[in-house]
Amino acid sequence: MAEKHDPVLRIFKRWLIGTPLRSAQVAHERLSNPIALAIFASDALSSTAYATEEILMVLTLATAAAVPLTLPIAIGISILIALVTLSYRQVIFAYPEGGGAYAVAKEHLSPLAGNVAGAALLIDYTMTVAVSSAAGIAALVSAVPSLNEFRVPLAGAAILLVMLGNLRGVREAGAIFAIPSYIFIGSMLILVGWGVMRYLTGDITPLTYPPEHMEFLHEGRLAMAVTPLLVLRAFSSGCAALTGLEAISNGTGAFKAPESRNAAKVMAFMSLILGTLFIGVSFLAVQYHVLPYSAEQEGYRTVVSQVAEAVSGERGAFFYLIQFATMVVLLLAANTAFAGFPRLASLLAKDGYLPRQFATMGDKLVFTNGIVILALISFLLIVIFRGDTHKLIPLYAVGVFLGFTLAQVGMVRKWVRERPQGWFYSCVINSFGGLLTGIVLGVIAYTKFTQGAWIVVFLIPFMIWIFRSIKAHYAEVAEQLTLEGKAPPETDPVKVHHTVIIPIGGIQFSVVKAMQYAQSLSPDDVRAVYVNLNPTMTEKLEERWPDWGLGTTLVILESPYRSILEPLLAYLDTVQREDSDFITVVLPEFVTAHWWESLLHNQTAVMIRTYLSFRRNVVVTSVRYHLD
């Protein structure tokens, strides 16, 4: 079967993800700075497409007159972006191998703090894929409203495409995704520059809305005053702009040497572009009196699409360029998570907190298992929340700022303990950054708790319990398998009673081959076991057995409820209670010439093998007879 089927599977796999790479090629898969900016910065930069909208969604709960507060809130968040960037540059230089908040918290705070940071970051990456995919489809729907009812399958298709791109390798994924990222950056800078020029020349006409939209906003208002609490809620919503800043510190090891210096450069450049675009879009939204739409509204339009139409004056080529570029970069923002999640999962797996399969690289020198699991969980979130960005974002920021805060507190402990040259300056930066992100974390947890943040608050302890349970399992397995403190075995083999059992469904060549193999294992005690489901077939078997049974004992079991498995398991229990120290179950199997032909036959051997895999002192082996 392997000789005939493997080439087909191998050809399909190579067509899907490309030719496997040698382990020695891992250094050549490192990223140059322009490609790294496209991969790691797409998440942070894409948040400019919805961060301003999230601020407006909160402010308009009170009154449309609160919209001008958008700009000072955006400036405050941009200052926070600068401080977090300075703080994370310290992390990058301290941990050139990557790991970010997880590595810092684990080493300088405690293993529990490392677990908290790891859980928060895994949630952050998963939400990145879900939010960016949903927001990307929202941009598409803004240009083509008739696609609104297909939001979920379109988002699922986008996740699948990004997953396949990443399975083809880090460098190849970067080459695929770099051009759209730079088209987005260029078109958004043109939009902001064009809008500012129109403002300076006094050529700005505020947008007007149909009566039904104003009525919708009025009905949705909570009749609250513009209070500090409302401003804090808007600020916490706009902090979605910071999502993705930590990705570079987690993936520093993916950069070309010198890793830390290159990663720090890319992070500084990314933050500068992010701050510019975020303040620019917020400024234009205020000047044009832009009001947000709900995802459920007919004729839904994003804030960026409204700004683009207002600045360009029509739904022309530039408007559709902005929508296309925004959609693509939002979809590619998931690529940042596909670069970071598998690397972080591999670190957790190496430390024993996740299954070891996450630490294994696939054919293309990427952590394949982490990529596939991330895609599956993200698509599940899209289905649960129906692809609504506003419902997903409250789950987003808690994990992000928890990771930010733990990283900064851990770095402060590092500087205080080690006191290298310039430690006081670094300590001040990380202390101030940790204080601010901690305050924002508290604000987000408080203001977003009832909107979905409670899910993350309870999910993080659950994930920590999973981490600890996996770690305890690996420790228990290692303790039971270790040779330390145990005496070597006797040189003379210990005589044991070995019984070989062959479950058969009749007499045929595959059974004869299996019996020949079984007699080489235990010439004294080989038993063929047949479950009587049809008396006529059983009678024919007994007649032919003297000629074809090779002297093997034939045991016939009755099955009043027509089950093959239950009588066999009961018989094994009986044999084990006798004087058998070991039982080998030999399964006769025939292999069809084509893979699809196997679907025409029952899989009894597979079922038996599965049930017996957890039995003590029972060895299961298959003897395969290949058909021409």
Side-chain angles (χ1 to χ4, degrees):
M1 182 177 182
E3 295 175 355
K4 293 182 179 294
H5 297 178
D6 280 358
V8 177
L9 296 176
R10 193 180 301 120
I11 290 171
F12 176 74
K13 186 177 180 182
R14 289 191 178 185
W15 173 80
L16 194 64
I17 65 173
T19 305
L21 300 174
R22 295 179 180 273
S23 299
Q25 293 177 265
V26 66
H28 300 289
E29 287 294 294
R30 298 292 183 90
L31 302 173
S32 64
N33 287 1
I35 298 296
L37 179 65
I39 287 182
F40 287 107
S42 55
D43 176 21
L45 296 179
S46 68
S47 63
T48 58
Y50 52 79
T52 300
E53 185 165 339
E54 290 302 310
I55 296 174
L56 287 169
M57 288 290 291
V58 175
L59 292 177
T60 52
L61 286 175
T63 172
V67 168
L69 292 174
T70 302
L71 184 57
I73 291 173
I75 293 173
I77 293 173
S78 298
I79 294 172
L80 184 60
I81 290 172
L83 290 172
V84 172
T85 300
L86 285 174
S87 298
Y88 263 90
R89 282 170 59 88
Q90 308 288 339
V91 176
I92 288 171
F93 284 108
Y95 292 89
E97 70 281 2
Y102 169 70
V104 175
K106 179 187 68 172
E107 182 174 348
H108 297 291
L109 296 178
S110 69
L112 177 60
N115 289 165
V116 173
L121 289 171
L122 290 180
I123 292 172
D124 174 29
Y125 284 131
T126 305
M127 296 308 305
T128 294
V129 177
V131 170
S132 60
S133 301
I137 299 304
L140 175 62
V141 169
S142 296
V144 189
S146 60
L147 295 177
N148 193 31
E149 60 180 306
F150 303 107
R151 296 166 73 100
V152 172
L154 287 172
I159 292 173
L160 177 63
L161 288 175
V162 178
M163 180 194 77
L164 291 177
N166 279 273
L167 288 176
R168 296 185 68 88
V170 173
R171 191 172 61 175
E172 191 167 343
I176 294 171
F177 300 145
I179 295 176
S181 297
Y182 284 109
I183 290 176
F184 171 77
I185 293 172
S187 60
M188 288 296 289
L189 287 174
I190 292 173
L191 174 65
V192 170
W194 190 357
V196 171
M197 286 297 298
R198 292 194 63 172
Y199 169 77
L200 294 176
T201 58
D203 184 22
I204 281 189
T205 303
L207 295 178
T208 57
Y209 293 89
E212 56 269 18
H213 182 56
M214 301 307 295
E215 290 175 7
F216 181 86
L217 286 177
H218 181 74
E219 290 173 0
R221 283 177 193 155
L222 302 179
M224 60 174 61
V226 181
T227 62
L229 179 59
L230 180 74
V231 174
L232 284 176
R233 288 184 62 182
F235 181 87
S236 65
S237 295
C239 281
L242 278 79
T243 54
L245 280 183
E246 77 291 343
I248 291 177
S249 68
N250 291 329
T252 306
F255 285 77
K256 287 186 175 181
E259 292 86 349
S260 294
R261 186 181 304 170
N262 286 327
K265 287 180 180 178
V266 171
M267 187 165 192
F269 193 56
M270 174 191 71
S271 298
L272 179 62
I273 298 173
L274 172 60
T276 301
L277 295 182
F278 181 39
I279 292 177
V281 171
S282 300
F283 172 76
L284 294 177
V286 171
Q287 298 308 316
Y288 282 101
H289 298 181
V290 173
L291 297 176
Y293 280 76
S294 170
E296 291 81 12
Q297 274 184 272
E298 186 176 349
Y300 168 76
R301 298 166 61 196
T302 63
V303 165
V304 170
S305 72
Q306 295 183 67
V307 170
E309 185 175 359
V311 169
S312 62
E314 60 177 350
R315 285 198 165 207
F318 183 73
F319 168 81
Y320 285 104
L321 172 65
I322 288 289
Q323 291 308 106
F324 172 78
T326 302
M327 177 194 70
V328 174
V329 82
L330 281 166
L331 297 178
L332 297 187
N335 192 56
T336 300
F338 277 105
F341 181 100
R343 288 182 175 275
L344 177 59
S346 73
L347 294 176
L348 285 161
K350 288 175 184 177
D351 291 338
Y353 292 114
L354 282 178
R356 289 170 180 159
Q357 295 90 323
F358 285 100
T360 304
M361 281 190 170
D363 288 349
K364 302 293 287 186
L365 298 177
V366 293
F367 299 103
T368 304
N369 294 320
I371 290 172
V372 173
I373 291 296
L374 174 60
L376 291 174
I377 298 175
S378 302
F379 178 67
L380 182 63
L381 286 172
I382 289 289
V383 173
I384 292 173
F385 291 94
R386 303 298 301 166
D388 190 335
T389 308
H390 303 305
K391 293 179 181 177
L392 286 164
I393 284 180
L395 283 72
Y396 201 2
V398 173
V400 176
F401 278 89
L402 182 55
F404 285 166
T405 304
L406 288 172
Q408 306 320 308
V409 174
M411 290 300 293
V412 170
R413 288 286 299 273
K414 172 182 171 64
W415 302 133
V416 171
R417 285 176 176 174
E418 299 175 4
R419 302 199 174 195
Q421 185 176 5
W423 70 273
F424 185 76
Y425 168 74
S426 299
C427 188
V428 170
I429 291 177
N430 289 128
S431 297
F432 193 48
L435 177 63
L436 285 180
T437 56
I439 292 172
V440 174
L441 172 63
V443 171
I444 292 173
Y446 175 73
T447 58
K448 299 291 184 182
F449 188 82
T450 58
Q451 299 176 27
W454 65 269
I455 298 176
V456 178
V457 172
F458 287 104
L459 187 57
I460 289 177
F462 176 69
M463 292 181 65
I464 293 172
W465 175 77
I466 292 177
F467 293 163
R468 297 262 163 163
S469 298
I470 293 173
K471 181 81 169 179
H473 167 76
Y474 283 137
E476 183 179 345
V477 170
E479 183 180 353
Q480 294 191 38
L481 295 181
T482 183
L483 296 177
E484 296 296 327
K486 298 178 182 178
E490 299 290 337
T491 54
D492 294 332
V494 179
K495 291 186 177 181
V496 297
H497 186 85
H498 183 197
T499 301
V500 180
I501 293 176
I502 314 169
I504 64 173
I507 188 69
Q508 52 192 10
F509 275 116
S510 60
V511 172
V512 172
K513 291 287 185 182
M515 286 192 295
Q516 290 174 335
Y517 173 76
Q519 288 176 348
S520 70
L521 297 178
S522 178
D524 299 327
D525 192 359
V526 179
R527 312 175 193 181
V529 177
Y530 178 80
V531 178
N532 179 16
L533 299 179
N534 187 321
T536 303
M537 298 296 293
T538 304
E539 185 177 342
K540 289 182 179 180
L541 174 64
E542 290 177 317
E543 290 176 0
R544 302 181 67 187
W545 194 256
D547 297 328
W548 292 96
L550 305 180
T552 301
T553 302
L554 176 63
V555 178
I556 297 178
L557 305 177
E558 298 300 325
S559 180
Y561 297 102
R562 301 162 304 283
S563 169
I564 293 177
L565 192 62
E566 291 182 7
L568 177 61
L569 296 178
Y571 182 72
L572 287 175
D573 290 336
T574 301
V575 175
Q576 283 188 302
R577 285 195 296 267
E578 295 173 356
D579 57 351
S580 289
D581 297 294
F582 284 96
I583 296 177
T584 296
V585 177
V586 176
L587 299 175
E589 296 184 72
F590 63 87
V591 181
T592 57
H594 304 93
W595 67 268
W596 55 267
E597 293 174 336
S598 63
L599 302 176
L600 305 176
H601 303 275
N602 61 42
Q603 305 297 320
T604 305
V606 175
M607 180 177 62
I608 294 173
R609 189 184 305 114
T610 302
Y611 271 87
L612 296 182
S613 60
F614 299 100
R615 287 226 168 191
R616 290 177 181 268
N617 298 330
V618 174
V619 179
V620 184
T621 187
S622 296
V623 176
R624 296 181 174 89
Y625 182 78
H626 290 261
L627 303 177
D628 294 331

